[in-house]
CSV table of all heavy atoms in Angstrom, one decimal:
chain,number,residue,atom,x,y,z
B,360,GLU,N,21.3,-5.9,13.5
B,360,GLU,CA,22.0,-4.6,13.3
B,360,GLU,C,22.3,-4.4,11.8
B,360,GLU,O,22.2,-3.3,11.3
B,360,GLU,CB,23.3,-4.6,14.1
B,360,GLU,CG,23.1,-4.0,15.5
B,360,GLU,CD,24.2,-4.4,16.5
B,360,GLU,OE1,25.3,-4.8,16.0
B,360,GLU,OE2,24.0,-4.3,17.7
B,361,GLN,N,22.7,-5.5,11.2
B,361,GLN,CA,23.0,-5.4,9.8
B,361,GLN,C,21.7,-5.1,9.0
B,361,GLN,O,21.7,-4.3,8.1
B,361,GLN,CB,23.6,-6.7,9.3
B,361,GLN,CG,24.2,-6.6,7.9
B,361,GLN,CD,25.5,-7.4,7.8
B,361,GLN,OE1,25.7,-8.4,8.5
B,361,GLN,NE2,26.3,-7.0,6.9
B,362,LEU,N,20.6,-5.8,9.3
B,362,LEU,CA,19.4,-5.5,8.7
B,362,LEU,C,19.0,-4.1,8.8
B,362,LEU,O,18.6,-3.4,7.9
B,362,LEU,CB,18.3,-6.4,9.3
B,362,LEU,CG,16.9,-6.1,8.8
B,362,LEU,CD1,16.7,-6.4,7.3
B,362,LEU,CD2,15.9,-7.0,9.6
B,363,ASP,N,19.2,-3.6,10.0
B,363,ASP,CA,18.9,-2.2,10.3
B,363,ASP,C,19.7,-1.3,9.4
B,363,ASP,O,19.1,-0.3,8.8
B,363,ASP,CB,19.2,-2.0,11.8
B,363,ASP,CG,18.8,-0.6,12.3
B,363,ASP,OD1,17.6,-0.3,12.2
B,363,ASP,OD2,19.7,0.2,12.6
B,364,ASP,N,20.9,-1.6,9.3
B,364,ASP,CA,21.8,-0.8,8.5
B,364,ASP,C,21.4,-0.8,7.0
B,364,ASP,O,21.3,0.2,6.3
B,364,ASP,CB,23.2,-1.3,8.6
B,364,ASP,CG,24.2,-0.6,7.7
B,364,ASP,OD1,24.3,0.6,7.7
B,364,ASP,OD2,24.9,-1.3,6.9
B,365,PHE,N,21.1,-2.0,6.5
B,365,PHE,CA,20.6,-2.2,5.2
B,365,PHE,C,19.4,-1.3,4.9
B,365,PHE,O,19.3,-0.7,3.9
B,365,PHE,CB,20.3,-3.7,4.9
B,365,PHE,CG,21.5,-4.5,4.7
B,365,PHE,CD1,21.3,-5.9,4.6
B,365,PHE,CD2,22.8,-4.0,4.8
B,365,PHE,CE1,22.4,-6.8,4.5
B,365,PHE,CE2,23.9,-4.9,4.6
B,365,PHE,CZ,23.7,-6.2,4.5
B,366,LEU,N,18.4,-1.4,5.8
B,366,LEU,CA,17.2,-0.7,5.6
B,366,LEU,C,17.4,0.8,5.6
B,366,LEU,O,16.9,1.5,4.8
B,366,LEU,CB,16.2,-1.1,6.7
B,366,LEU,CG,15.6,-2.5,6.6
B,366,LEU,CD1,14.6,-2.7,7.8
B,366,LEU,CD2,14.9,-2.8,5.3
B,367,ASN,N,18.3,1.3,6.5
B,367,ASN,CA,18.6,2.7,6.5
B,367,ASN,C,19.2,3.1,5.1
B,367,ASN,O,18.8,4.1,4.6
B,367,ASN,CB,19.6,3.0,7.6
B,367,ASN,CG,19.0,3.1,8.9
B,367,ASN,OD1,17.8,3.3,9.0
B,367,ASN,ND2,19.8,2.9,10.0
B,368,ARG,N,20.1,2.3,4.6
B,368,ARG,CA,20.8,2.6,3.4
B,368,ARG,C,19.8,2.6,2.2
B,368,ARG,O,19.9,3.5,1.3
B,368,ARG,CB,22.0,1.7,3.2
B,368,ARG,CG,23.1,2.1,4.1
B,368,ARG,CD,24.1,0.9,4.3
B,368,ARG,NE,24.8,0.5,3.1
B,368,ARG,CZ,25.6,-0.6,3.0
B,368,ARG,NH1,25.6,-1.4,4.0
B,368,ARG,NH2,26.2,-0.8,1.9
B,369,LEU,N,19.0,1.6,2.2
B,369,LEU,CA,18.0,1.5,1.1
B,369,LEU,C,17.0,2.7,1.1
B,369,LEU,O,16.7,3.2,0.1
B,369,LEU,CB,17.3,0.2,1.2
B,369,LEU,CG,18.1,-1.1,0.8
B,369,LEU,CD1,17.3,-2.4,1.1
B,369,LEU,CD2,18.4,-1.1,-0.7
B,370,ASP,N,16.6,3.0,2.3
B,370,ASP,CA,15.7,4.1,2.5
B,370,ASP,C,16.3,5.4,1.9
B,370,ASP,O,15.7,6.1,1.1
B,370,ASP,CB,15.5,4.3,4.0
B,370,ASP,CG,14.0,4.2,4.3
B,370,ASP,OD1,13.2,4.4,3.4
B,370,ASP,OD2,13.7,3.9,5.5
B,371,ALA,N,17.6,5.7,2.3
B,371,ALA,CA,18.2,6.9,1.8
B,371,ALA,C,18.4,6.8,0.3
B,371,ALA,O,18.1,7.8,-0.4
B,371,ALA,CB,19.6,7.0,2.5
B,372,LYS,N,18.7,5.7,-0.2
B,372,LYS,CA,18.9,5.5,-1.6
B,372,LYS,C,17.6,5.7,-2.4
B,372,LYS,O,17.5,6.4,-3.4
B,372,LYS,CB,19.4,4.1,-2.0
B,372,LYS,CG,20.9,4.0,-2.4
B,372,LYS,CD,21.2,5.0,-3.5
B,372,LYS,CE,22.6,4.6,-4.1
B,372,LYS,NZ,23.6,5.6,-3.9
B,373,ALA,N,16.5,5.2,-1.8
B,373,ALA,CA,15.2,5.3,-2.4
B,373,ALA,C,14.8,6.8,-2.6
B,373,ALA,O,14.3,7.2,-3.6
B,373,ALA,CB,14.2,4.5,-1.7
Side-chain angles (χ1 to χ4, degrees):
Chain B
E360 272 160 16
Q361 191 142 28
L362 173 63
D363 187 61
D364 175 54
F365 288 174
L366 292 178
N367 282 337
R368 286 157 67 190
L369 287 172
D370 240 334
K372 254 306 192 247

